[in-house]
Amino acid sequence: MAACANESARGRLSDTKSSMRNDMYKVIVERPRRGGGWTKPGREPREPDDRPAHEGIRERLRGGRKWLNENLRPLQRWLDRQAGRRWDAVYAELCKHVDRRNTVQQHIHVHLRDFVEIDVYESDGRLYAIRRWRGTAPLADSYCDLYVDPRNGCLMRNEAAFAARVRRRAEHRLAVHARQAGWREGVRVVDGEVQLHRLDGIWYRIELAPVPKPRPSKRKAGVSLPGRAFDAVLHAQVGECASKRLNLYGRCGVYARSKRQLNQAELIACRLRNGDGPDPFDPRALAAAALAAGRKRRSPWRTGAPH
């Protein structure tokens, strides 16, 4: 008897959790509309001749338009609780409490596709969603957290889109950190005079030197010529590759005095690898390089001891 009572109580709890409240449409759409009323039209001119010859409707109604102020979070939370149920049953319950014959309640059904990918099909073992405006795309690229599985007709959570969203956020965070740290792909700045560059898949240690000062011309008086220096990376004179040196070294006042290939011990110490593969941003290597350069690093411990 106790087991039967527990099963019945559990069934009533699940029904209460999955059922929609009768006044859902009131919670969603019955809110005051925003916009309009905060700006008043200008004073009418006293003389009829002072009126403009042509006037647009938008100019007179500027700031006076209104828009809907629906609260769609209750609908989104209710749909998320319906994951695992048949979509036909979920949609029938939604239509039971939100009448499509009502113009105001019909607006809720328009926003239904903002949370659920309804038109989904399977091709070569992968799921694709048919979007309203941008054609067909993989289900992992969808912005909806729910979808209707074409294999069983149930409402399911879009785990692939969630994982892709987390991956894009992590990549964006790394890109922001790399941009703030001044990191460039294929380039490692050791100090002001030494840089590591990957050229044709091989990492080299490049020593930089200031560009020599201009020298006076022997043939023409008052004419100065660029200093004589040969760039070891660009294989050109410094007077012929100012823009290339700016893009390669970050400034045009220096040139590559020497170039040497890194050995295996140096590659391991700098966390580098030869090859044509991508050069991902590694914040641990950047922190290790900063620590080796003698920069100050704040400790996470707060002992309260005097310095």
Side-chain angles (χ1 to χ4, degrees):
M1 294 295 292
C4 297
N6 293 335
E7 291 294 336
S8 60
R10 191 179 297 107
R12 289 194 301 270
L13 182 60
S14 61
D15 295 342
T16 305
K17 182 179 179 181
S18 61
S19 61
M20 176 183 286
R21 50 188 299 175
N22 298 328
D23 57 343
M24 176 63 74
Y25 69 94
K26 296 182 180 180
V27 177
I28 296 176
V29 295
E30 288 198 358
R31 296 173 63 182
R33 293 192 300 168
R34 293 188 176 183
W38 65 83
T39 57
K40 297 181 180 180
R43 179 180 297 178
E44 295 289 340
R46 297 182 179 180
E47 299 295 335
D49 297 338
D50 295 340
R51 296 176 180 272
H54 302 279
E55 183 179 8
I57 298 178
R58 179 178 299 180
E59 188 67 25
R60 180 170 290 274
L61 299 178
R62 183 179 298 275
R65 299 185 178 182
K66 292 186 177 182
W67 57 87
L68 292 177
N69 185 24
E70 65 272 350
N71 179 24
L72 299 175
R73 288 293 297 173
L75 177 62
Q76 185 178 7
R77 290 193 297 266
W78 179 80
L79 288 172
D80 186 71
R81 290 195 300 267
Q82 308 308 310
R85 294 182 60 194
R86 294 278 301 178
W87 171 247
D88 296 341
V90 175
Y91 190 72
E93 186 175 355
L94 178 65
C95 294
K96 178 181 178 181
H97 297 86
V98 182
D99 192 0
R100 300 193 62 175
R101 296 171 296 181
N102 189 302
T103 305
V104 179
Q105 300 181 31
Q106 167 66 19
H107 189 68
I108 302 176
H109 289 266
V110 175
H111 287 284
L112 186 61
R113 291 180 176 269
D114 295 339
F115 309 119
V116 182
E117 288 288 359
I118 300 177
D119 300 327
V120 180
Y121 68 94
E122 183 181 7
S123 177
D124 297 335
R126 299 183 59 185
L127 297 178
Y128 295 87
I130 303 177
R131 300 179 178 179
R132 289 179 293 177
W133 310 110
R134 292 178 289 177
T136 304
L139 189 61
D141 297 340
S142 175
Y143 55 86
C144 296
D145 295 334
L146 301 169
Y147 72 97
V148 180
D149 198 330
R151 295 164 292 191
N152 52 20
C154 295
L155 185 65
M156 306 296 293
R157 289 188 175 91
N158 195 355
E159 301 292 346
F162 179 76
R165 197 177 302 124
V166 171
R167 184 178 65 255
R168 287 193 298 266
R169 290 176 181 173
E171 293 175 356
H172 175 70
R173 183 168 58 253
L174 283 179
V176 171
H177 292 169
R179 185 170 61 253
Q180 293 176 352
W183 175 85
R184 291 184 298 162
E185 184 176 0
V187 178
R188 297 291 188 275
V189 179
V190 179
D191 51 29
E193 298 180 356
V194 178
Q195 293 183 3
L196 306 181
H197 287 254
R198 186 176 64 173
L199 307 174
D200 297 332
I202 305 298
W203 283 95
Y204 294 89
R205 185 179 187 272
I206 298 174
E207 295 184 1
L208 304 178
V211 175
K213 296 182 180 180
R215 52 189 174 84
S217 177
K218 298 181 179 180
R219 297 182 178 180
K220 297 182 180 180
V223 177
S224 59
L225 300 178
R228 294 179 178 178
F230 186 80
D231 193 286
V233 176
L234 299 176
H235 302 285
Q237 295 291 334
V238 294
E240 303 174 359
C241 56
S243 60
K244 295 181 180 179
R245 287 188 283 107
L246 176 63
N247 297 331
L248 190 60
Y249 311 127
R251 57 188 190 274
C252 57
V254 295
Y255 73 100
R257 179 174 54 187
S258 63
K259 180 181 69 172
R260 178 179 61 83
Q261 182 177 349
L262 296 181
N263 53 36
Q264 189 65 25
E266 292 174 334
L267 290 175
I268 295 175
C270 299
R271 298 175 182 267
L272 301 177
R273 179 181 299 178
N274 292 329
D276 297 332
D279 181 21
F281 173 71
D282 190 359
R284 297 177 302 173
L286 187 66
L291 189 61
R295 301 178 185 176
K296 294 182 179 180
R297 189 174 68 91
R298 179 176 297 178
S299 174
W301 299 100
R302 298 291 184 270
T303 59
H307 294 283

